[in-house]
Amino acid sequence: MPNFRDLLSQVKSEIEETTPEKVRERLRKRESLQLLDVREQDEVDQGMVPGAAHLSRAHFESRVEDVVPDKESPVILYCGSGVRSAFAAKTLGELGYGKVESMAGGYSRWKELGYEQATVRRLEASQRDRYSRHLLLPEVGEQGQLKFLDAKVLCIGAGGLGSPALLYLAAAGVGTIGIVDADIVDASNLQRQIIHDLDHLDVPKVESAKEAIEKLNPDVRVVTHHERIDASNARELLTQYDIVVDGSDNFDTRYVLNDAAVELHKPVVHGSIFRFEGMVSTFVPFEGPCYSCLYPEAPPPELAPSCSEAGVLGVLPGIVGSLQANEALKLIGGYGDPLIGRLLTFDAQATQFGEVKVRRDPSCPVCGEGATQGLASEEETTAA
């Protein structure tokens, strides 16, 4: 009967092996490699090869295709010494991966040679519990959750769209959330603005929203801006954040926001509602169209009445605002397909979604080829 040593020898004869020296040289040449650490969590906590993804042997077969979807990409596996990674390499070959190597000597040899090591930042125990469902998603995982916690999102408005967006961004663990709103809570708001309640009537919406968020998730730092956003303060506000979620209800604010966002290269997740209809799109400056490409001019006031004039189904902003939160999380986490160059429409009466392609306008006065907007200096953009 073969023993473990015999089995290991047989496995190594069936796979390709490499060395830490060769791996480091290939990385220095910027070769496209997928490094996969198959050690256990307590080992990874002591350090890992920079740029490697972690997938322990306990979940390897069931989750590797999520972590490495392209079976033709070069994959380097490593463990502590090169034993577990050898078996993992054989498994990948059986799963159809064609360019797999095991790093002989493993992380122990990498460390012994004095090569670069990544200090692994981890969630606290209470956070691992709170965000456990995110951690199960390969597209998010612990590193994605850390990105959420590090992110700074500015929400324009704490009303119908802002309410669900704020609550879901806070629940997801977005670390810093700014809220811009000059209004106070009114009884007529409560039909749709679910972040507020009867106990907060006549209270500034930013304070009511802040209290609700802090009760929901103490990980979140809430910054209130009890003011209206306009040309005098838009640039200053946006420089403090990574992404903007636009829940404003008028064209003047949207144009001011768009001008500042393009100038500072800040992504804006747009949402708008009218009676039973809603729209969502994501504007990433110079990767797709901006708001002015979509609406070169504001429609006449009679064609774009406010909710207080035309009415709105209470659940509609909940749907649209939740979609905005989803877009913001995709941008932060770097997964999925954001609505860049796409306008998503929703009809609440028909329960029907639609999509319209939106192209960047070369003659757009804000982001077009001859535009003067978007010319913030590199130093200013970096500092922001």
Side-chain angles (χ1 to χ4, degrees):
M1 294 289 292
N3 56 29
F4 177 75
R5 189 179 298 276
D6 295 331
L7 180 59
L8 177 60
S9 178
Q10 179 181 338
V11 167
K12 288 196 171 188
S13 70
E14 297 173 356
I15 65 168
E16 295 291 332
E17 285 193 295
T18 186
T19 66
E21 294 91 336
K22 291 179 180 178
V23 171
R24 184 170 185 261
E25 184 61 25
R26 291 167 71 181
L27 290 173
R28 291 180 66 177
K29 291 180 178 178
R30 299 186 181 277
E31 187 174 332
S32 179
L33 297 176
Q34 173 67 68
L35 272 68
L36 202 54
D37 190 322
V38 299
R39 296 176 297 159
E40 296 306 311
Q41 187 65 61
D42 60 333
E43 297 174 279
V44 173
D45 288 343
Q46 305 306 311
M48 60 193 303
V49 177
H54 174 229
L55 183 60
S56 69
R57 288 291 293 142
H59 304 286
F60 191 79
E61 289 80 4
S62 62
R63 296 182 60 183
V64 69
E65 290 177 330
D66 294 321
V67 179
V68 188
D70 183 2
K71 293 188 176 182
E72 293 304 315
S73 63
V75 181
I76 305 293
L77 297 156
Y78 73 89
C79 60
S81 63
V83 174
R84 287 168 289 176
S85 60
F87 285 98
K90 179 175 172 57
T91 298
L92 282 191
E94 293 170 346
L95 290 173
Y97 287 82
K99 301 176 182 177
V100 182
E101 297 171 86
S102 171
M103 190 169 78
Y107 187 70
S108 296
R109 177 59 179 163
W110 180 277
K111 187 175 180 180
E112 180 183 307
L113 291 168
Y115 293 162
E116 302 88 343
Q117 301 171 51
T119 302
V120 183
R121 179 183 166 203
R122 294 297 177 196
L123 296 171
E124 297 175 3
S126 62
Q127 293 175 322
R128 296 190 68 82
D129 184 42
R130 173 181 284 272
Y131 306 117
S132 61
R133 301 306 186 269
H134 278 172
L135 304 186
L136 294 171
L137 298 171
E139 295 84 355
V140 181
E142 186 165 12
Q143 294 308 306
Q145 186 61 54
L146 289 168
K147 289 180 181 179
F148 292 166
L149 289 165
D150 289 339
K152 298 178 182 179
V153 175
L154 178 65
C155 190
I156 310 299
L161 295 172
S163 289
L166 286 166
L167 288 172
Y168 274 110
L169 290 172
V174 171
T176 300
I177 297 178
I179 312 172
V180 181
D181 200 305
D183 293 338
I184 61 173
V185 180
D186 182 83
S188 66
N189 301 147
L190 304 183
Q191 164 253 16
R192 63 202 176 281
Q193 299 180 19
I194 58 172
I195 203 167
H196 311 298
D197 56 42
L198 286 169
D199 292 336
H200 291 82
L201 294 180
D202 299 322
V203 173
K205 288 183 179 179
V206 291
E207 297 301 330
S208 173
K210 178 180 180 180
E211 187 175 330
I213 290 171
E214 289 177 341
K215 286 180 179 178
L216 175 63
N217 191 348
D219 284 344
V220 180
R221 181 175 75 96
V222 182
V223 182
T224 59
H225 305 278
H226 188 209
E227 57 188 311
R228 297 190 185 282
I229 187 169
D230 56 29
S232 70
N233 62 6
R235 195 176 187 279
E236 179 183 358
L237 286 168
L238 266 62
T239 57
Q240 304 173 52
Y241 299 90
D242 308 315
I243 295 170
V244 181
V245 173
D246 178 18
S248 62
D249 61 359
N250 65 86
F251 282 91
D252 288 343
T253 300
R254 292 169 190 158
Y255 285 123
V256 166
L257 175 61
N258 182 67
D259 289 351
V262 171
E263 181 182 358
L264 297 171
H265 294 222
K266 301 286 185 177
V268 176
V269 180
H270 165 75
S272 57
I273 51 175
F274 177 70
R275 301 188 68 195
F276 294 93
E277 300 173 355
M279 296 187 294
V280 184
S281 191
T282 295
F283 302 117
V284 178
F286 309 107
E287 288 187 28
C290 74
Y291 186 76
S292 289
C293 296
L294 177 62
Y295 292 108
E297 295 181 357
E302 62 271 17
L303 297 181
S306 66
C307 293
S308 61
E309 298 170 316
V312 63
L313 183 68
V315 72
L316 176 65
I319 296 168
V320 175
S322 296
L323 288 169
Q324 288 181 273
N326 180 54
E327 285 296 293
L329 292 176
K330 285 192 290 183
L331 291 174
I332 296 167
Y335 62 85
D337 185 14
L339 289 169
I340 300 172
R342 297 185 290 146
L343 179 67
L344 185 70
T345 62
F346 176 68
D347 183 338
Q349 293 196 84
T351 314
Q352 188 173 40
F353 285 93
E355 186 176 295
V356 178
K357 297 291 185 183
V358 183
R359 293 181 174 84
R360 185 177 169 196
D361 182 0
S363 61
C364 173
V366 180
C367 74
E369 295 174 358
T372 58
Q373 297 286 350
L375 298 180
S377 69
E378 183 178 345
E379 291 80 5
E380 289 177 313
T381 304
T382 302

